Structure formats: structure tokens, C-alpha cells
Amino acid sequence: LIIDITIGEVGLCSEVRPLVKTEQRIKELRKLGYKKVIISKNSLKKIEPMDGIEVLGITKVSELEELLF
């Protein structure tokens, strides 16, 4: 069982940038059995809540450590 995955692009200043088709990607991840996905906060604002998968948003890579450990 796969628990966590992060999708996004990381900038030179460690900012997490949004990707296109984020909601579609999350739906596919849910079908594959993922339970938690971490995306950019900008993307999080643009998607609807989904059953069966927890979606969290971050703005900097440093926030990722807090969520994973």
C-alpha cells in the first residue's frame, strides 16, 4: 500500500510551484491506491475536496519535512 506522494515543481528558492491538471493527477493517484498527496498550496486552492485521498498543500520544500516526519 502506497501512502504518500508529492507532486509539483520546485523552484530555485525552494518554492513549490503548481502543475497543470493537478485534480486529474490526484484522481489517478487515488485509483492507484495512494492515501495522501502533497501539492502546492496554489493548486490546493483550485481543487475540490476528494473522498479516499488526503490532499495537503505546501509553499516551500522545508514544509515537506514537517509533514513526512
Side-chain angles (χ1 to χ4, degrees):
L1 179 64
I2 305 166
I3 300 173
D4 298 320
I5 191 165
T6 304
I7 57 174
E9 178 182 310
V10 178
L12 293 174
C13 296
S14 80
E15 74 276 11
V16 178
R17 300 176 184 160
L19 295 176
V20 296
K21 299 184 181 180
T22 302
E23 193 164 354
Q24 181 180 350
R25 293 172 195 239
I26 294 170
K27 288 177 183 177
E28 288 298 319
L29 290 169
R30 182 177 59 186
K31 287 180 189 177
L32 292 170
Y34 287 89
K35 299 296 180 193
K36 185 189 298 182
V37 62
I38 302 167
I39 63 175
S40 76
K41 278 192 180 173
N42 287 336
S43 293
L44 187 62
K45 295 174 189 175
K46 298 175 185 176
I47 64 168
E48 296 293 322
M50 294 182 210
D51 291 332
I53 191 165
E54 182 181 6
V55 183
L56 305 170
I58 61 173
T59 55
K60 294 269 187 189
V61 173
S62 59
E63 296 170 46
L64 187 58
E65 184 178 6
E66 297 170 18
L67 292 175
L68 295 178
F69 302 107

Short mmCIF file of all heavy atoms in Angstrom, two decimals:
data_model
loop_
_atom_site.label_atom_id
_atom_site.label_comp_id
_atom_site.label_asym_id
_atom_site.label_seq_id
_atom_site.Cartn_x
_atom_site.Cartn_y
_atom_site.Cartn_z
N LEU A 1 0.85 -1.19 0.00
CA LEU A 1 0.00 0.00 0.00
C LEU A 1 0.89 1.24 0.00
O LEU A 1 1.78 1.37 0.83
CB LEU A 1 -0.89 0.00 1.23
CG LEU A 1 -1.84 1.17 1.41
CD1 LEU A 1 -2.87 1.22 0.29
CD2 LEU A 1 -2.51 1.08 2.74
N ILE A 2 0.65 2.13 -0.92
CA ILE A 2 1.42 3.36 -1.04
C ILE A 2 0.69 4.44 -0.25
O ILE A 2 -0.50 4.65 -0.42
CB ILE A 2 1.56 3.77 -2.51
CG1 ILE A 2 2.18 2.61 -3.31
CG2 ILE A 2 2.41 5.01 -2.65
CD1 ILE A 2 2.07 2.75 -4.78
N ILE A 3 1.43 5.17 0.61
CA ILE A 3 0.79 6.12 1.50
C ILE A 3 0.94 7.57 1.05
O ILE A 3 -0.02 8.29 0.96
CB ILE A 3 1.31 5.96 2.94
CG1 ILE A 3 1.00 4.55 3.42
CG2 ILE A 3 0.67 6.99 3.86
CD1 ILE A 3 1.61 4.20 4.74
N ASP A 4 2.16 8.02 0.76
CA ASP A 4 2.40 9.44 0.46
C ASP A 4 3.05 9.63 -0.90
O ASP A 4 3.87 8.82 -1.32
CB ASP A 4 3.34 10.06 1.50
CG ASP A 4 2.77 10.04 2.90
OD1 ASP A 4 1.57 10.28 3.05
OD2 ASP A 4 3.54 9.77 3.83
N ILE A 5 2.71 10.74 -1.54
CA ILE A 5 3.38 11.15 -2.77
C ILE A 5 3.30 12.66 -2.84
O ILE A 5 2.37 13.28 -2.34
CB ILE A 5 2.75 10.49 -4.01
CG1 ILE A 5 3.63 10.72 -5.24
CG2 ILE A 5 1.34 10.99 -4.26
CD1 ILE A 5 3.31 9.84 -6.41
N THR A 6 4.31 13.26 -3.44
CA THR A 6 4.34 14.70 -3.63
C THR A 6 4.40 14.99 -5.12
O THR A 6 5.19 14.37 -5.83
CB THR A 6 5.58 15.31 -2.94
OG1 THR A 6 5.56 14.95 -1.57
CG2 THR A 6 5.59 16.81 -3.06
N ILE A 7 3.55 15.91 -5.59
CA ILE A 7 3.62 16.31 -6.99
C ILE A 7 3.76 17.82 -7.06
O ILE A 7 3.15 18.56 -6.30
CB ILE A 7 2.42 15.82 -7.82
CG1 ILE A 7 1.08 16.30 -7.24
CG2 ILE A 7 2.42 14.32 -7.94
CD1 ILE A 7 -0.11 15.96 -8.10
N GLY A 8 4.60 18.29 -7.94
CA GLY A 8 4.84 19.71 -8.12
C GLY A 8 6.20 19.96 -8.71
O GLY A 8 6.97 19.03 -8.96
N GLU A 9 6.51 21.19 -8.92
CA GLU A 9 7.81 21.60 -9.43
C GLU A 9 8.47 22.46 -8.37
O GLU A 9 7.83 23.29 -7.75
CB GLU A 9 7.60 22.42 -10.71
CG GLU A 9 8.86 22.95 -11.32
CD GLU A 9 8.58 23.80 -12.54
OE1 GLU A 9 7.84 23.35 -13.44
OE2 GLU A 9 9.10 24.92 -12.58
N VAL A 10 9.77 22.26 -8.16
CA VAL A 10 10.50 23.02 -7.15
C VAL A 10 11.35 24.08 -7.83
O VAL A 10 12.13 23.77 -8.73
CB VAL A 10 11.40 22.09 -6.30
CG1 VAL A 10 12.18 22.90 -5.28
CG2 VAL A 10 10.56 21.02 -5.61
N GLY A 11 11.18 25.33 -7.39
CA GLY A 11 11.95 26.44 -7.93
C GLY A 11 13.32 26.56 -7.27
O GLY A 11 13.63 25.88 -6.29
N LEU A 12 14.14 27.46 -7.78
CA LEU A 12 15.50 27.65 -7.27
C LEU A 12 15.54 28.11 -5.82
O LEU A 12 16.51 27.87 -5.11
CB LEU A 12 16.25 28.65 -8.14
CG LEU A 12 16.55 28.17 -9.56
CD1 LEU A 12 17.18 29.30 -10.37
CD2 LEU A 12 17.46 26.97 -9.55
N CYS A 13 14.50 28.79 -5.37
CA CYS A 13 14.43 29.28 -3.98
C CYS A 13 13.63 28.34 -3.09
O CYS A 13 13.13 28.73 -2.05
CB CYS A 13 13.84 30.67 -3.95
SG CYS A 13 14.86 31.88 -4.81
N SER A 14 13.48 27.10 -3.50
CA SER A 14 12.78 26.02 -2.81
C SER A 14 11.27 26.21 -2.74
O SER A 14 10.59 25.51 -1.98
CB SER A 14 13.36 25.75 -1.42
OG SER A 14 12.89 26.68 -0.47
N GLU A 15 10.71 27.11 -3.55
CA GLU A 15 9.26 27.24 -3.59
C GLU A 15 8.66 26.09 -4.40
O GLU A 15 9.28 25.59 -5.33
CB GLU A 15 8.83 28.59 -4.18
CG GLU A 15 8.99 28.74 -5.68
CD GLU A 15 10.38 29.17 -6.15
OE1 GLU A 15 11.33 29.18 -5.36
OE2 GLU A 15 10.49 29.47 -7.34
N VAL A 16 7.47 25.65 -4.00
CA VAL A 16 6.78 24.57 -4.70
C VAL A 16 5.77 25.22 -5.64
O VAL A 16 4.88 25.94 -5.21
CB VAL A 16 6.10 23.61 -3.71
CG1 VAL A 16 5.35 22.52 -4.46
CG2 VAL A 16 7.12 23.01 -2.77
N ARG A 17 5.94 24.94 -6.92
CA ARG A 17 5.08 25.54 -7.95
C ARG A 17 4.00 24.54 -8.38
O ARG A 17 4.22 23.33 -8.36
CB ARG A 17 5.92 25.91 -9.16
CG ARG A 17 7.01 26.90 -8.86
CD ARG A 17 7.84 27.14 -10.09
NE ARG A 17 8.97 28.02 -9.81
CZ ARG A 17 10.04 28.10 -10.55
NH1 ARG A 17 10.16 27.34 -11.63
NH2 ARG A 17 11.01 28.93 -10.25
N PRO A 18 2.87 25.06 -8.80
CA PRO A 18 1.79 24.16 -9.24
C PRO A 18 2.06 23.55 -10.62
O PRO A 18 2.85 24.07 -11.39
CB PRO A 18 0.57 25.09 -9.30
CG PRO A 18 1.12 26.45 -9.49
CD PRO A 18 2.47 26.46 -8.82
N LEU A 19 1.42 22.43 -10.87
CA LEU A 19 1.45 21.79 -12.17
C LEU A 19 0.08 21.87 -12.82
O LEU A 19 -0.92 22.14 -12.14
CB LEU A 19 1.83 20.31 -12.03
CG LEU A 19 3.23 20.00 -11.51
CD1 LEU A 19 3.39 18.49 -11.35
CD2 LEU A 19 4.29 20.52 -12.46
N VAL A 20 0.01 21.63 -14.11
CA VAL A 20 -1.28 21.61 -14.79
C VAL A 20 -1.97 20.28 -14.53
O VAL A 20 -1.33 19.28 -14.23
CB VAL A 20 -1.12 21.87 -16.31
CG1 VAL A 20 -0.56 23.25 -16.56
CG2 VAL A 20 -0.24 20.82 -16.95
N LYS A 21 -3.30 20.28 -14.64
CA LYS A 21 -4.13 19.09 -14.47
C LYS A 21 -3.92 18.41 -13.11
O LYS A 21 -3.92 17.18 -13.01
CB LYS A 21 -3.88 18.11 -15.60
CG LYS A 21 -4.22 18.66 -16.97
CD LYS A 21 -4.06 17.63 -18.03
CE LYS A 21 -4.39 18.23 -19.39
NZ LYS A 21 -4.24 17.27 -20.47
N THR A 22 -3.75 19.20 -12.07
CA THR A 22 -3.50 18.64 -10.74
C THR A 22 -4.65 17.75 -10.28
O THR A 22 -4.42 16.65 -9.76
CB THR A 22 -3.26 19.77 -9.72
OG1 THR A 22 -2.17 20.56 -10.17
CG2 THR A 22 -2.95 19.23 -8.35
N GLU A 23 -5.87 18.21 -10.46
CA GLU A 23 -7.02 17.43 -9.99
C GLU A 23 -7.09 16.08 -10.71
O GLU A 23 -7.34 15.05 -10.08
CB GLU A 23 -8.31 18.23 -10.21
CG GLU A 23 -9.49 17.64 -9.48
CD GLU A 23 -10.64 18.61 -9.37
OE1 GLU A 23 -10.51 19.79 -9.74
OE2 GLU A 23 -11.69 18.17 -8.88
N GLN A 24 -6.83 16.07 -11.99
CA GLN A 24 -6.83 14.83 -12.75
C GLN A 24 -5.74 13.88 -12.26
O GLN A 24 -5.95 12.68 -12.10
CB GLN A 24 -6.62 15.13 -14.24
CG GLN A 24 -6.61 13.91 -15.13
CD GLN A 24 -6.38 14.28 -16.59
OE1 GLN A 24 -6.40 15.43 -16.97
NE2 GLN A 24 -6.15 13.27 -17.40
N ARG A 25 -4.57 14.43 -11.95
CA ARG A 25 -3.46 13.61 -11.44
C ARG A 25 -3.82 13.00 -10.09
O ARG A 25 -3.51 11.84 -9.83
CB ARG A 25 -2.20 14.46 -11.30
CG ARG A 25 -1.63 14.92 -12.62
CD ARG A 25 -0.50 15.91 -12.38
NE ARG A 25 -0.17 16.64 -13.58
CZ ARG A 25 1.03 16.64 -14.14
NH1 ARG A 25 2.01 15.95 -13.61
NH2 ARG A 25 1.25 17.33 -15.22
N ILE A 26 -4.47 13.78 -9.23
CA ILE A 26 -4.86 13.28 -7.91
C ILE A 26 -5.88 12.15 -8.04
O ILE A 26 -5.80 11.14 -7.33
CB ILE A 26 -5.39 14.43 -7.03
CG1 ILE A 26 -4.25 15.41 -6.73
CG2 ILE A 26 -5.98 13.88 -5.73
CD1 ILE A 26 -4.70 16.69 -6.08
N LYS A 27 -6.82 12.29 -8.93
CA LYS A 27 -7.82 11.23 -9.15
C LYS A 27 -7.14 9.93 -9.60
O LYS A 27 -7.52 8.84 -9.16
CB LYS A 27 -8.85 11.68 -10.17
CG LYS A 27 -9.80 12.73 -9.63
CD LYS A 27 -10.77 13.20 -10.68
CE LYS A 27 -11.67 14.30 -10.13
NZ LYS A 27 -12.58 14.84 -11.14
N GLU A 28 -6.16 10.04 -10.46
CA GLU A 28 -5.42 8.86 -10.91
C GLU A 28 -4.62 8.24 -9.76
O GLU A 28 -4.56 7.02 -9.64
CB GLU A 28 -4.48 9.22 -12.07
CG GLU A 28 -5.20 9.49 -13.37
CD GLU A 28 -5.97 8.28 -13.89
OE1 GLU A 28 -5.45 7.14 -13.81
OE2 GLU A 28 -7.10 8.47 -14.36
N LEU A 29 -4.01 9.08 -8.94
CA LEU A 29 -3.26 8.57 -7.79
C LEU A 29 -4.18 7.83 -6.83
O LEU A 29 -3.81 6.79 -6.28
CB LEU A 29 -2.55 9.72 -7.07
CG LEU A 29 -1.39 10.35 -7.84
CD1 LEU A 29 -0.95 11.64 -7.17
CD2 LEU A 29 -0.24 9.37 -7.97
N ARG A 30 -5.38 8.36 -6.62
CA ARG A 30 -6.36 7.69 -5.76
C ARG A 30 -6.70 6.31 -6.31
O ARG A 30 -6.77 5.33 -5.56
CB ARG A 30 -7.61 8.56 -5.63
CG ARG A 30 -8.67 8.00 -4.72
CD ARG A 30 -9.83 8.92 -4.58
NE ARG A 30 -10.41 9.16 -5.91
CZ ARG A 30 -11.39 10.02 -6.15
NH1 ARG A 30 -11.90 10.73 -5.17
NH2 ARG A 30 -11.87 10.17 -7.36
N LYS A 31 -6.89 6.21 -7.62
CA LYS A 31 -7.18 4.91 -8.25
C LYS A 31 -6.03 3.93 -8.05
O LYS A 31 -6.25 2.72 -7.96
CB LYS A 31 -7.41 5.09 -9.75
CG LYS A 31 -8.73 5.72 -10.10
CD LYS A 31 -8.84 5.84 -11.61
CE LYS A 31 -10.04 6.66 -12.02
NZ LYS A 31 -10.09 6.84 -13.49
N LEU A 32 -4.80 4.45 -8.00
CA LEU A 32 -3.62 3.60 -7.82
C LEU A 32 -3.38 3.20 -6.36
O LEU A 32 -2.46 2.45 -6.07
CB LEU A 32 -2.38 4.31 -8.37
CG LEU A 32 -2.36 4.50 -9.89
CD1 LEU A 32 -1.21 5.43 -10.29
CD2 LEU A 32 -2.23 3.15 -10.58
N GLY A 33 -4.18 3.73 -5.44
CA GLY A 33 -4.09 3.32 -4.05
C GLY A 33 -3.38 4.28 -3.12
O GLY A 33 -3.18 3.97 -1.96
N TYR A 34 -3.00 5.44 -3.61
CA TYR A 34 -2.36 6.43 -2.74
C TYR A 34 -3.39 6.98 -1.76
O TYR A 34 -4.56 7.16 -2.10
CB TYR A 34 -1.75 7.57 -3.55
CG TYR A 34 -0.51 7.18 -4.30
CD1 TYR A 34 -0.57 6.65 -5.58
CD2 TYR A 34 0.74 7.33 -3.71
CE1 TYR A 34 0.57 6.29 -6.26
CE2 TYR A 34 1.89 6.97 -4.39
CZ TYR A 34 1.79 6.45 -5.67
OH TYR A 34 2.93 6.09 -6.34
N LYS A 35 -2.95 7.25 -0.54
CA LYS A 35 -3.84 7.75 0.51
C LYS A 35 -3.60 9.23 0.83
O LYS A 35 -4.46 9.89 1.39
CB LYS A 35 -3.67 6.93 1.80
CG LYS A 35 -4.00 5.48 1.62
CD LYS A 35 -5.46 5.31 1.29
CE LYS A 35 -5.81 3.84 1.10
NZ LYS A 35 -7.10 3.66 0.49
N LYS A 36 -2.41 9.72 0.51
CA LYS A 36 -2.09 11.12 0.81
C LYS A 36 -1.24 11.68 -0.31
O LYS A 36 -0.30 11.03 -0.76
CB LYS A 36 -1.32 11.23 2.12
CG LYS A 36 -1.06 12.66 2.57
CD LYS A 36 -0.11 12.76 3.75
CE LYS A 36 -0.65 12.08 4.97
NZ LYS A 36 0.26 12.23 6.14
N VAL A 37 -1.57 12.90 -0.75
CA VAL A 37 -0.78 13.57 -1.77
C VAL A 37 -0.48 14.99 -1.28
O VAL A 37 -1.32 15.62 -0.65
CB VAL A 37 -1.48 13.57 -3.14
CG1 VAL A 37 -2.79 14.32 -3.10
CG2 VAL A 37 -0.59 14.15 -4.23
N ILE A 38 0.72 15.44 -1.54
CA ILE A 38 1.15 16.78 -1.13
C ILE A 38 1.41 17.58 -2.39
O ILE A 38 2.18 17.15 -3.25
CB ILE A 38 2.41 16.69 -0.25
CG1 ILE A 38 2.11 15.83 0.98
CG2 ILE A 38 2.85 18.10 0.18
CD1 ILE A 38 3.34 15.41 1.75
N ILE A 39 0.76 18.73 -2.50
CA ILE A 39 0.85 19.58 -3.69
C ILE A 39 1.14 21.02 -3.27
O ILE A 39 1.20 21.32 -2.08
CB ILE A 39 -0.45 19.51 -4.53
CG1 ILE A 39 -1.65 20.03 -3.73
CG2 ILE A 39 -0.71 18.08 -4.98
CD1 ILE A 39 -2.94 20.11 -4.51
N SER A 40 1.28 21.91 -4.23
CA SER A 40 1.48 23.32 -3.89
C SER A 40 0.18 23.91 -3.32
O SER A 40 -0.91 23.48 -3.69
CB SER A 40 1.90 24.11 -5.13
OG SER A 40 0.80 24.34 -5.97
N LYS A 41 0.32 24.85 -2.42
CA LYS A 41 -0.87 25.50 -1.85
C LYS A 41 -1.69 26.21 -2.91
O LYS A 41 -2.91 26.27 -2.82
CB LYS A 41 -0.48 26.47 -0.74
CG LYS A 41 -0.24 25.79 0.58
CD LYS A 41 -0.14 26.76 1.71
CE LYS A 41 0.10 26.00 3.00
NZ LYS A 41 0.36 26.87 4.14
N ASN A 42 -1.02 26.74 -3.94
CA ASN A 42 -1.76 27.38 -5.03
C ASN A 42 -2.68 26.39 -5.73
O ASN A 42 -3.81 26.71 -6.08
CB ASN A 42 -0.79 28.01 -6.04
CG ASN A 42 -0.14 29.25 -5.52
OD1 ASN A 42 -0.66 29.91 -4.63
ND2 ASN A 42 1.01 29.59 -6.06
N SER A 43 -2.20 25.19 -5.95
CA SER A 43 -3.03 24.15 -6.57
C SER A 43 -4.16 23.72 -5.65
O SER A 43 -5.26 23.44 -6.10
CB SER A 43 -2.18 22.93 -6.93
OG SER A 43 -1.27 23.22 -7.94
N LEU A 44 -3.87 23.66 -4.37
CA LEU A 44 -4.86 23.22 -3.39
C LEU A 44 -6.09 24.12 -3.40
O LEU A 44 -7.22 23.65 -3.26
CB LEU A 44 -4.24 23.18 -2.00
CG LEU A 44 -5.07 22.60 -0.87
CD1 LEU A 44 -5.42 21.14 -1.15
CD2 LEU A 44 -4.34 22.72 0.45
N LYS A 45 -5.87 25.41 -3.62
CA LYS A 45 -6.98 26.37 -3.65
C LYS A 45 -7.91 26.14 -4.84
O LYS A 45 -9.06 26.53 -4.80
CB LYS A 45 -6.43 27.79 -3.73
CG LYS A 45 -5.64 28.23 -2.52
CD LYS A 45 -5.02 29.59 -2.75
CE LYS A 45 -4.06 29.96 -1.65
NZ LYS A 45 -3.37 31.23 -1.92
N LYS A 46 -7.41 25.49 -5.89
CA LYS A 46 -8.16 25.36 -7.13
C LYS A 46 -8.90 24.04 -7.29
O LYS A 46 -9.61 23.85 -8.27
CB LYS A 46 -7.20 25.53 -8.32
CG LYS A 46 -6.55 26.89 -8.35
CD LYS A 46 -5.52 26.97 -9.46
CE LYS A 46 -4.78 28.30 -9.40
NZ LYS A 46 -3.71 28.36 -10.40
N ILE A 47 -8.73 23.11 -6.35
CA ILE A 47 -9.38 21.80 -6.49
C ILE A 47 -10.44 21.58 -5.43
O ILE A 47 -10.42 22.20 -4.37
CB ILE A 47 -8.35 20.66 -6.46
CG1 ILE A 47 -7.65 20.59 -5.10
CG2 ILE A 47 -7.33 20.79 -7.58
CD1 ILE A 47 -6.85 19.33 -4.89
N GLU A 48 -11.36 20.71 -5.74
CA GLU A 48 -12.42 20.34 -4.80
C GLU A 48 -11.92 19.20 -3.90
O GLU A 48 -11.13 18.37 -4.33
CB GLU A 48 -13.65 19.85 -5.58
CG GLU A 48 -14.29 20.93 -6.45
CD GLU A 48 -14.91 22.04 -5.63
OE1 GLU A 48 -15.48 21.75 -4.56
OE2 GLU A 48 -14.81 23.20 -6.06
N PRO A 49 -12.41 19.15 -2.65
CA PRO A 49 -12.05 18.03 -1.77
C PRO A 49 -12.47 16.69 -2.40
O PRO A 49 -13.48 16.62 -3.09
CB PRO A 49 -12.84 18.30 -0.49
CG PRO A 49 -13.17 19.74 -0.54
CD PRO A 49 -13.27 20.10 -1.99
N MET A 50 -11.70 15.64 -2.15
CA MET A 50 -11.98 14.33 -2.73
C MET A 50 -12.04 13.28 -1.64
O MET A 50 -11.24 13.29 -0.71
CB MET A 50 -10.88 13.94 -3.72
CG MET A 50 -10.82 14.80 -4.93
SD MET A 50 -9.53 14.18 -6.03
CE MET A 50 -9.04 15.72 -6.79
N ASP A 51 -12.98 12.36 -1.78
CA ASP A 51 -13.07 11.23 -0.85
C ASP A 51 -11.97 10.23 -1.17
O ASP A 51 -11.61 10.04 -2.34
CB ASP A 51 -14.43 10.53 -0.98
CG ASP A 51 -15.57 11.39 -0.47
OD1 ASP A 51 -15.33 12.23 0.43
OD2 ASP A 51 -16.70 11.23 -0.96
N GLY A 52 -11.43 9.58 -0.15
CA GLY A 52 -10.49 8.50 -0.34
C GLY A 52 -9.03 8.90 -0.46
O GLY A 52 -8.18 8.03 -0.55
N ILE A 53 -8.74 10.20 -0.45
CA ILE A 53 -7.36 10.64 -0.52
C ILE A 53 -7.24 11.98 0.21
O ILE A 53 -8.08 12.86 0.06
CB ILE A 53 -6.85 10.74 -1.98
CG1 ILE A 53 -5.33 10.95 -2.02
CG2 ILE A 53 -7.59 11.80 -2.76
CD1 ILE A 53 -4.71 10.69 -3.38
N GLU A 54 -6.21 12.09 1.03
CA GLU A 54 -5.96 13.34 1.76
C GLU A 54 -5.03 14.20 0.92
O GLU A 54 -3.99 13.74 0.46
CB GLU A 54 -5.31 13.02 3.11
CG GLU A 54 -5.04 14.23 3.95
CD GLU A 54 -4.37 13.89 5.27
OE1 GLU A 54 -4.00 12.72 5.49
OE2 GLU A 54 -4.20 14.81 6.09
N VAL A 55 -5.42 15.45 0.70
CA VAL A 55 -4.62 16.36 -0.12
C VAL A 55 -4.15 17.52 0.76
O VAL A 55 -4.95 18.22 1.36
CB VAL A 55 -5.44 16.90 -1.32
CG1 VAL A 55 -4.57 17.78 -2.19
CG2 VAL A 55 -6.02 15.76 -2.14
N LEU A 56 -2.83 17.69 0.84
CA LEU A 56 -2.22 18.74 1.65
C LEU A 56 -1.45 19.69 0.75
O LEU A 56 -0.93 19.28 -0.28
CB LEU A 56 -1.26 18.13 2.68
CG LEU A 56 -1.85 17.06 3.59
CD1 LEU A 56 -0.76 16.37 4.37
CD2 LEU A 56 -2.88 17.65 4.51
N GLY A 57 -1.36 20.96 1.17
CA GLY A 57 -0.64 21.95 0.37
C GLY A 57 0.56 22.54 1.10
O GLY A 57 0.50 22.76 2.31
N ILE A 58 1.64 22.79 0.36
CA ILE A 58 2.83 23.43 0.91
C ILE A 58 3.29 24.53 -0.04
O ILE A 58 2.96 24.52 -1.21
CB ILE A 58 3.98 22.42 1.16
CG1 ILE A 58 4.41 21.74 -0.14
CG2 ILE A 58 3.60 21.41 2.21
CD1 ILE A 58 5.64 20.87 -0.01
N THR A 59 4.07 25.48 0.50
CA THR A 59 4.62 26.54 -0.33
C THR A 59 6.13 26.41 -0.50
O THR A 59 6.69 26.87 -1.49
CB THR A 59 4.32 27.93 0.25
OG1 THR A 59 4.80 27.99 1.59
CG2 THR A 59 2.84 28.23 0.22
N LYS A 60 6.80 25.78 0.47
CA LYS A 60 8.26 25.61 0.44
C LYS A 60 8.62 24.15 0.72
O LYS A 60 7.91 23.45 1.44
CB LYS A 60 8.94 26.47 1.52
CG LYS A 60 8.81 27.95 1.31
CD LYS A 60 9.98 28.43 0.51
CE LYS A 60 9.97 29.96 0.44
NZ LYS A 60 10.96 30.43 -0.49
N VAL A 61 9.74 23.71 0.18
CA VAL A 61 10.20 22.34 0.39
C VAL A 61 10.43 22.06 1.87
O VAL A 61 10.17 20.95 2.35
CB VAL A 61 11.49 22.07 -0.42
CG1 VAL A 61 12.08 20.72 -0.09
CG2 VAL A 61 11.20 22.16 -1.90
N SER A 62 10.84 23.05 2.63
CA SER A 62 11.09 22.86 4.07
C SER A 62 9.83 22.40 4.81
O SER A 62 9.92 21.70 5.82
CB SER A 62 11.62 24.15 4.69
OG SER A 62 10.71 25.21 4.50
N GLU A 63 8.66 22.74 4.32
CA GLU A 63 7.41 22.30 4.94
C GLU A 63 7.17 20.82 4.73
O GLU A 63 6.45 20.18 5.51
CB GLU A 63 6.23 23.08 4.35
CG GLU A 63 6.28 24.57 4.63
CD GLU A 63 5.24 25.32 3.84
OE1 GLU A 63 4.06 24.88 3.82
OE2 GLU A 63 5.58 26.34 3.23
N LEU A 64 7.77 20.26 3.71
CA LEU A 64 7.60 18.84 3.40
C LEU A 64 8.12 17.96 4.53
O LEU A 64 7.50 16.98 4.91
CB LEU A 64 8.31 18.51 2.09
CG LEU A 64 8.13 17.14 1.50
CD1 LEU A 64 6.67 16.84 1.25
CD2 LEU A 64 8.94 17.01 0.24
N GLU A 65 9.25 18.33 5.09
CA GLU A 65 9.86 17.56 6.18
C GLU A 65 8.90 17.47 7.37
O GLU A 65 8.75 16.40 7.98
CB GLU A 65 11.17 18.19 6.60
CG GLU A 65 11.90 17.40 7.65
CD GLU A 65 13.25 18.02 8.02
OE1 GLU A 65 13.58 19.11 7.55
OE2 GLU A 65 13.94 17.37 8.82
N GLU A 66 8.22 18.56 7.69
CA GLU A 66 7.28 18.56 8.81
C GLU A 66 6.12 17.61 8.58
O GLU A 66 5.64 16.97 9.50
CB GLU A 66 6.74 19.98 9.03
CG GLU A 66 7.79 20.98 9.43
CD GLU A 66 7.26 22.41 9.39
OE1 GLU A 66 6.03 22.60 9.39
OE2 GLU A 66 8.10 23.33 9.35
N LEU A 67 5.67 17.49 7.33
CA LEU A 67 4.53 16.63 7.03
C LEU A 67 4.91 15.16 6.97
O LEU A 67 4.10 14.30 7.31
CB LEU A 67 3.92 17.04 5.68
CG LEU A 67 3.24 18.40 5.64
CD1 LEU A 67 2.80 18.72 4.23
CD2 LEU A 67 2.06 18.44 6.58
N LEU A 68 6.13 14.86 6.56
CA LEU A 68 6.53 13.48 6.38
C LEU A 68 7.12 12.83 7.63
O LEU A 68 7.07 11.61 7.78
CB LEU A 68 7.54 13.36 5.23
CG LEU A 68 7.00 13.73 3.85
CD1 LEU A 68 8.11 13.63 2.81
CD2 LEU A 68 5.83 12.85 3.46
N PHE A 69 7.71 13.62 8.50
CA PHE A 69 8.39 13.04 9.66
C PHE A 69 7.80 13.50 10.94
O PHE A 69 7.49 14.30 11.45
CB PHE A 69 9.89 13.34 9.62
CG PHE A 69 10.53 12.83 8.38
CD1 PHE A 69 10.93 13.68 7.38
CD2 PHE A 69 10.72 11.47 8.19
CE1 PHE A 69 11.52 13.21 6.21
CE2 PHE A 69 11.32 10.99 7.03
CZ PHE A 69 11.72 11.86 6.04
#
